[in-house]
Amino acid sequence: MKTAKERDEIDMIRSSWLIGSKETIARKLGDLSERTPFGEVMAVSPVFEAEKQKRSLELLKEAAEGI
């Protein structure tokens, strides 16, 4: 069983995850940049297939272009 502190830490980490369509990612990036202004984004992807990972990062780039 997790403590309240552990649950809070997990919630904080999950709040920065960007999962969804390009439009959803763009909205979440916009929301994140309002809460925590940033100059760059570091992406970590659990996608192991090279072409799918490349496509995922391309979609992230496209979503971020409007921010």
Side-chain angles (χ1 to χ4, degrees):
M1 183 164 213
K2 292 180 179 53
T3 66
K5 182 178 186 227
E6 289 170 329
R7 284 191 303 273
D8 289 345
E9 287 182 29
I10 291 168
D11 289 343
M12 183 189 67
I13 291 167
R14 285 184 177 168
S15 73
S16 67
W17 289 359
L18 302 173
I19 300 170
S21 67
K22 186 170 47 172
E23 292 77 18
T24 299
I25 299 304
R27 181 179 41 78
K28 288 182 177 184
L29 274 174
D31 293 347
L32 182 60
S33 72
E34 287 178 14
R35 289 193 324 265
T36 309
F38 55 83
E40 65 182 313
V41 173
M42 183 185 322
V44 177
S45 174
V47 178
F48 298 105
E49 208 172 309
E51 285 302 312
K52 288 182 179 181
Q53 187 176 59
K54 180 180 175 185
R55 181 63 182 144
S56 176
L57 294 173
E58 287 171 350
L59 290 170
L60 175 60
K61 178 183 175 240
E62 291 171 16
E65 287 175 343
I67 304 301

